[in-house]
Amino acid sequence: MSATSSSSTAIGSVDAQRVEDALSLIAPKWTTWSAQTLAQQGSPMRVRDVAARLPFVSEQLVGKRLAQMHADGLVTRVGDRHGAPYQLTAFGESLSRVHDTLSDWSQANLSLGGRVAGAERVEDAVRRLHLRDSTAVIQVLHTGGPMRFVHIAEEADLDNGWTRQRLNRLQADGLVARTGPRHGDPYVLTDAGRALGPVYAAVEHWSGPVTTRHRSAPPAPVAAATRTHTGVPLASDNTRTAAALRRSAAAPSALFSHAPQPQPRVPAAVTAQSTPSRGR
């Protein structure tokens, strides 16, 4: 089977809810940075030591993020005393394949500009993908596009207004484009959207423990609401940390990737629309 057909099959065959449940665990800002810092260290680290590797994040925020990762089963604490160090669980260690796949997809399909940290590239990719029902919309367009938004809503069994919001966000993020400038023109997947098969497959494969845990316990509305907020654009936070994320010499060098090559496959109109609205 060719790479293209394999990618196409994966888009349509994955369990959308399972994929989004898994992505919700790694969507909160600084989760990937923390996980990759622990992975690079290879031994338990205290909160202050993780924060020292990430000078653009406060120690308090690193502590909160690690506590949430502990609740989600990505890290464990070595000992019960206050201030005990954290280390990745086997589940957390297995994230490396997902990170690699997300990074590869981003490098091949997105032009972020400049020298972007590898962990930041992964977090940017997850931000584009994790919102509820985004996967279902992409699956519908993959199977039946070009399609008008009312037909997408019908096929995905979603409210029209909600579908419009999802399409606007996916369009801003370069995954969906309109076939014309008029209101009501059909939507299609961009090349970046069509290339998501390997990403979805990797996330679904990793998500086994997530599915088991989430289906055996009642949902936690507060945690879910917190994760949903990661998709809401932030203004001042991005302004303050952008330079540090791209150029910080204090961050572990292995968290950085080479500057991406220009990628003409994302339509210029989509890229232009996405620039003002990107954020977390």
Side-chain angles (χ1 to χ4, degrees):
M1 183 180 292
S2 68
T4 301
S5 60
S6 176
S7 172
S8 299
T9 301
I11 290 178
S13 63
V14 298
D15 182 328
Q17 180 176 344
R18 181 173 169 179
V19 167
E20 289 169 4
D21 284 345
L23 288 173
S24 72
L25 296 187
I26 57 177
K29 193 173 178 67
W30 312 120
T31 297
T32 298
W33 286 90
S34 300
Q36 291 192 4
T37 299
L38 288 168
Q40 187 181 60
Q41 177 69 17
S43 59
M45 298 181 72
R46 300 182 188 279
V47 171
R48 64 172 179 267
D49 297 324
V50 176
R53 299 284 189 93
L54 306 175
F56 35 79
V57 191
S58 71
E59 183 173 328
Q60 181 181 23
L61 183 52
V62 170
K64 289 181 178 180
R65 183 57 60 239
L66 287 170
Q68 183 62 59
M69 292 170 68
H70 182 266
D72 290 335
L74 297 173
V75 300
T76 187
R77 301 195 77 168
V78 183
D80 298 326
R81 67 186 184 283
H82 178 73
Y86 288 93
Q87 67 180 15
L88 291 173
T89 60
F91 182 45
E93 289 177 348
S94 67
L95 256 179
S96 59
R97 180 180 176 185
V98 175
H99 287 169
D100 289 345
T101 305
L102 285 163
S103 182
D104 289 346
W105 172 76
S106 176
Q107 288 275 11
N109 296 282
L110 306 175
S111 181
L112 303 186
R115 186 171 180 262
V116 181
E120 179 66 6
R121 183 174 287 280
V122 170
E123 291 203 344
D124 173 83
V126 175
R127 178 191 62 77
R128 298 168 193 257
L129 301 176
H130 84 282
L131 293 181
R132 183 62 65 194
D133 298 317
S134 294
T135 309
V137 170
I138 288 173
Q139 287 179 319
V140 168
L141 279 172
H142 161 70
T143 302
M147 296 177 70
R148 299 181 186 277
F149 96 91
V150 290
H151 297 144
I152 297 170
E154 181 180 355
E155 289 296 319
D157 195 23
L158 300 173
D159 174 78
N160 282 357
W162 181 250
T163 302
R164 176 78 75 182
Q165 290 182 36
R166 279 293 163 263
L167 285 168
N168 287 343
R169 175 61 182 268
L170 290 168
Q171 186 176 9
D173 284 337
L175 305 179
V176 165
R178 272 185 174 167
T179 56
R182 296 175 302 176
H183 179 77
D185 280 332
Y187 291 86
V188 294
L189 293 179
T190 63
D191 285 351
R194 286 191 294 271
L196 280 169
V199 172
Y200 286 155
V203 172
E204 186 176 48
H205 178 76
W206 175 76
S207 70
V210 181
T211 304
T212 301
R213 182 168 59 251
H214 281 213
R215 290 181 181 174
S216 63
V222 174
T226 300
R227 293 193 187 105
T228 301
H229 292 166
T230 63
V232 179
L234 301 178
S236 59
D237 180 69
N238 278 1
T239 302
R240 289 194 302 270
T241 63
L245 293 178
R246 296 172 187 274
R247 295 184 293 272
S248 175
S253 59
L255 302 187
F256 288 91
S257 62
H258 296 293
Q261 297 299 315
Q263 299 298 330
R265 293 186 293 173
V266 178
V270 176
T271 304
Q273 293 175 21
S274 68
T275 301
S277 62
R278 284 183 182 169
R280 286 181 176 74

